[in-house]
Amino acid sequence: MISGEKGRKNEKGDFIKMKKKLTRLIAVLLAVTLLSGLAAGCENLGKAKVKKFDMFIAMPGTELNEGNRAQAEITKITGVEVKETWLTGQSAEEAIGVMVAAKDYPDFIEASDGYQIMVDAGALIPIDKYWDKYPNIKNYLSEEQWNMCRKADGHIYAIPQFGIVNEKDVSPIHNDEAWWIQTRVLKWAGYPQVETLDEYFQLIEDYAAANPKHTDGTNVIPYTILCDDWRYFCLENPPLFLQGSPNDGSVIVDPDTQKVIDYNTTPIAKQYFMKLNEEFKKGMIDPEFFSQSYDEYITKISTGRVLGFVDQFWNWGYTAQDAIKAAGLNDCTYVPLGIVAEAGIEERYHNEPVLDVSGGLSITTSCKDIDGAMKFISDLLTQEVLTLRFWGIKDVDYKVGDDGLFYRTEEMRANAIDANYKADNLCPYAYFPQYEGMNLDGKNAWRPDNQPSEFFEDLLPEVKECLEAYGAETYVEMLNPSVPNSPWFPMWSFSNDLTPETPGGLAWAKMSEIKHEWLPRVVMAEDFEAEWSAYLDKYYGEADIDAFLAEMQAEVDRRIAVAAGN
């Protein structure tokens, strides 16, 4: 039995031990709680670091899927994620008009044909007020090029995204307008020389007569035309090229006299529309051409049923061409032809890269973090992020050889043309500023299809055979070489900014409205001559063509003077 004092000592000792244990337990619990709180805090801090912006692109396009892998990598580097939305069911002007009326804008915008509307509404911030802290933006263009972007108040409200070449142009792809034709048509005919409008349609007629069915049993579509919204250039501007002029877009500029000419009513324009009318009556032209939407047009080409059409490659190639390849329709891919009205005319379909100063990426007045938006644009122009945007993730979408050159495996190439894979894994942020030509590493091309080794590896055997038959190694070599751009080129960079506020701008809008309505009617007319005559009456009767040409001529003269240093 324990004595009373000894028992009390033992009880006291036990109490002290228990107190120490309890103290240690509380300390542990406090530590765990603190660490948990810190972890949660760090997690919340990490989330807080990701800035989220939204962007509207006033053109149809495909949204990225949630969790896009390359986008996540770009976010890790920049601390920013941008949610892009695209035009659906409206014209650019309509969509922008709704925004302006509501004064409710996204953070970033590519306003397309609605750019001047945004400028006039005071909806855009002046980029040049903020760029001193962001040399990647300020030095993106030369001072002379930036000056071309300035509006009447002296400020710059949009950053051009296209035609900015780093070091040199290395593209083997003709990204511009051409008369596209399937390789199977050319092979069937023994790879003939096809130079004129008549020869092009005769070839398509002959092939369709001998091969009326597509591989899936449906009828082939000999020729289709896109007339949707501003993309109706596929119908209305071929007379410019058929005459041997480069893509000034809105007028022809005589290189000798430097005078502007309206291509819409030239003898070659009438010849072209008469030919379309003739082919429509023969059943060679898609009967849905005048009503199909852009999406329907792309879907139609993607099936491989369409033998030929006129378009700019950028408008269809990165969607429909990839879909055709992914479907294994190897002989249904297209090559460009430089078609002219008559033999002896030198075609000018391919031109040197040109800076588009008629619009671009803008930041709106609704953006609450202008510096954050500017820093993101700056970060997108770094070599690391540019490579992520256009090549993807290293060892997932491309590999690097011992020589530092990028290359891809067959699986990587297949992934790159798969629409689902692209939506899940690739993030070009295509309407943000970018460099074409060479990657900033000085070794590689800016994107895989411009890398010589990748271009040749990616060519289908049917395309290689076709190119070789015409003595070409690239799509560009199917056409005449480019020549140096004239000082006024391209005039579409001026006409794109015209508004109804000037007589010429009002005439330009009216010309477009009349052509949009009447040219499909001319193509489908029972009596071509009567419909053509009615069209000209409307054209000259309701649009002040002279006012339009006068403004275009003044701009040609101004650009020539600027180039001469005056």
Side-chain angles (χ1 to χ4, degrees), residues 133-198:
K133 291 191 291 183
Y134 308 102
N136 283 353
I137 299 175
K138 189 172 184 178
N139 299 330
Y140 175 60
L141 300 180
S142 67
E143 184 176 355
E144 179 185 359
Q145 289 172 321
W146 279 124
N147 286 338
M148 294 167 64
C149 303
R150 293 187 187 278
K151 289 298 182 181
D153 64 0
H155 286 301
I156 295 163
Y157 294 98
I159 306 174
Q161 310 102 319
F162 309 114
I164 298 91
V165 177
N166 178 50
E167 293 189 22
K168 60 183 178 180
D169 178 30
V170 294
S171 177
I173 295 170
H174 175 64
N175 205 38
D176 304 318
E177 191 154 327
W179 293 71
W180 300 93
I181 194 165
Q182 288 184 337
T183 56
R184 62 174 171 174
V185 178
L186 295 170
K187 181 174 183 177
W188 173 84
Y191 298 112
Q193 290 299 317
V194 187
E195 298 177 358
T196 69
L197 191 63
D198 287 340

Side-chain angles (χ1 to χ4, degrees), residues 222-289:
Y223 188 82
T224 195
I225 311 169
L226 179 60
C227 300
D228 189 21
D229 196 28
W230 58 271
R231 289 181 168 89
Y232 86 117
F233 63 77
C234 300
L235 169 66
E236 65 88 26
N237 81 5
L240 181 154
F241 293 96
L242 291 170
Q243 189 160 319
S245 297
N247 186 23
D248 266 304
S250 46
V251 290
I252 292 170
V253 182
D254 186 304
D256 298 322
T257 66
Q258 298 169 353
K259 299 301 181 185
V260 298
I261 300 167
D262 180 12
Y263 64 76
N264 294 289
T265 56
T266 62
I268 283 178
K270 183 177 181 181
Q271 176 190 345
Y272 160 71
F273 285 107
M274 184 182 292
K275 188 65 180 178
L276 292 186
N277 177 262
E278 176 187 323
E279 296 299 327
F280 185 82
K281 288 175 180 176
K282 291 179 181 178
M284 292 297 105
I285 293 181
D286 179 7
E288 300 172 342
F289 84 90

Side-chain angles (χ1 to χ4, degrees), residues 52-115:
K52 300 207 172 185
F53 294 99
D54 56 355
M55 176 178 183
F56 175 68
I57 302 156
M59 283 167 276
T62 303
E63 293 190 15
L64 302 180
N65 288 339
E66 193 74 26
N68 179 284
R69 186 158 47 180
Q71 186 180 43
E73 290 300 311
I74 293 171
T75 298
K76 286 180 186 177
I77 297 167
T78 65
V80 170
E81 180 182 311
V82 175
K83 173 66 175 175
E84 298 172 310
T85 57
W86 302 76
L87 185 70
T88 55
Q90 292 176 297
S91 68
E93 293 97 329
E94 288 169 343
I96 299 303
V98 170
M99 287 185 186
V100 168
K103 294 186 175 2
D104 184 20
Y105 312 111
D107 299 303
F108 294 107
I109 193 164
E110 163 49 91
S112 185
D113 285 356
Y115 171 56

Side-chain angles (χ1 to χ4, degrees), residues 197-215:
L197 191 63
D198 287 340
E199 289 169 348
Y200 179 88
F201 278 109
Q202 189 61 57
L203 174 57
I204 284 179
E205 282 184 42
D206 292 344
Y207 180 88
N211 306 273
K213 296 293 183 182
H214 186 42
T215 54

